[in-house]
Amino acid sequence: MSRNNRFDVITIFPDYLTPITISLMGKAVQAGLVDISVQDLREYATNIHRSVDDTPYGGGAGMVMSPQPWGEAIDAVADRDGAPLHDLIVLTPAGEKFSQKLAEELVNCEHLIFACGRYEGIDHRVTEHYQSRSDFRVREISIGDYVLGGGEVATLVILEAVIRLIPGVLGNPDSLREESHSMDDSLVEYPNFTKPALWRDLAVPEVLMSGNHAAIAKWRLDQAVKRTNRIQQQTGE
Ligand code: 6GU
């Protein structure tokens, strides 16, 4: 597989991305399995005040991010990378809903560029411009039905979901196989238990200590179905 695993994040708050140095993502960077670079959008603003936003045409509350710094910043990271095709991810609550399926798609992209919008979002011509170019694919992505202050946290969510799918990042690749199997059936995971066998008067289910693998598999599937049904009742989906 021709995979570069290069990620560029463009934001007005580079410090927001410090979690990429910790835990799973931090280790993947340290091991050279991924290359993540964070760009400060303000450095690409050409006006005297380095401002990156302005009032919306048509009126309305809040500010809209100006196309100029975005265009310069995106072009700069694309030129530096030299890949033939860049995937531009525009984070917006109005985007396509992020999912495990989308994470599995994104892990195959050579160069992902995350555009973290703030305020009322980015001037829409940025999306339109890159959609019209043959060296870019553009996706507008949301991580769920709620409103965040900006795309930074959403980027962290997507980065973590994608990076753990890169071969060599997880210590035990079996955990990937098990969960992708259950995700295919759109079931959530069964509950897990470890030692001690008795904790605060609560015993681990007998079947898990039986050594009967068929019975264990059946119990786990049963539990996963029950959990899935309970969630569906709660959300009404
Ligand atoms: Cl990607 N951005 C913002 N601002 N809010 C969100 C979101 C993104 N996804 C869910 N809510």
Side-chain angles (χ1 to χ4, degrees):
M1 212 170 303
S2 86
R3 221 187 234 160
N4 219 348
N5 297 322
R6 178 164 174 82
F7 304 88
D8 277 289
V9 182
I10 307 170
T11 169
I12 56 166
F13 295 121
D15 290 347
Y16 234 116
L17 275 296
T18 47
I20 61 174
T21 63
I22 302 168
S23 187
L24 177 129
M25 289 192 280
K27 281 187 198 142
V29 173
Q30 287 282 306
L33 294 166
V34 292
D35 179 347
I36 314 178
S37 161
V38 181
Q39 308 294 320
D40 186 348
L41 180 72
R42 224 171 272 284
E43 288 179 9
Y44 296 89
T46 51
N47 66 81
I48 190 97
H49 302 293
R50 301 236 138 168
S51 75
V52 293
D53 61 346
D54 213 327
T55 53
Y57 275 117
M63 300 291 269
V64 175
M65 295 188 103
S66 313
Q68 178 275 322
W70 279 109
E72 314 278 330
I74 295 164
D75 287 350
V77 299
D79 286 349
R80 194 158 39 75
D81 184 64
L85 185 63
H86 314 278
D87 283 86
L88 176 63
I89 312 289
V90 180
L91 285 314
T92 163
E96 166 191 8
K97 193 86 57 73
F98 186 60
S99 63
Q100 187 64 26
K101 186 170 160 286
L102 197 44
E104 282 162 15
E105 215 176 300
L106 295 181
V107 75
N108 293 312
C109 297
E110 236 181 293
H111 182 211
L112 290 173
I113 303 171
F114 293 88
C116 303
R118 285 253 142 195
Y119 318 115
E120 301 307 307
I122 304 171
D123 187 305
H124 192 63
R125 287 169 295 180
V126 174
T127 294
E128 285 177 37
H129 169 79
Y130 289 99
Q131 271 169 345
S132 77
R133 282 174 54 165
S134 59
D135 54 342
F136 275 87
R137 268 188 312 218
V138 184
R139 298 166 203 261
E140 293 181 315
I141 299 180
S142 156
I143 60 163
D145 293 333
Y146 38 80
V147 180
L148 301 168
E152 286 78 7
V153 171
T155 295
L156 286 169
V157 167
I158 297 170
L159 279 175
E160 185 159 309
V162 170
I163 287 171
R164 63 188 291 288
L165 297 177
I166 294 170
V169 169
L170 285 191
N172 182 3
D174 285 346
S175 54
L176 275 187
R177 215 164 315 143
E178 269 180 35
E179 85 198 10
S180 78
H181 176 70
S182 59
M183 287 283 180
D184 286 346
D185 305 327
S186 48
L187 286 178
V188 299
E189 222 198 336
Y190 50 78
N192 284 293
F193 301 88
T194 185
K195 289 178 266 311
L198 191 66
W199 179 76
R200 297 193 179 179
D201 287 338
L202 294 169
V204 170
E206 202 80 45
V207 63
L208 298 179
M209 292 178 290
S210 68
N212 181 340
H213 297 299
I216 292 170
K218 185 185 173 300
W219 183 86
R220 284 177 166 168
L221 177 61
D222 207 49
Q223 292 291 312
V225 170
K226 280 186 179 141
R227 267 186 166 182
T228 307
N229 287 339
R230 209 171 307 136
I231 294 168
Q232 278 168 352
Q233 267 162 22
Q234 281 160 3
T235 59
E237 275 173 22

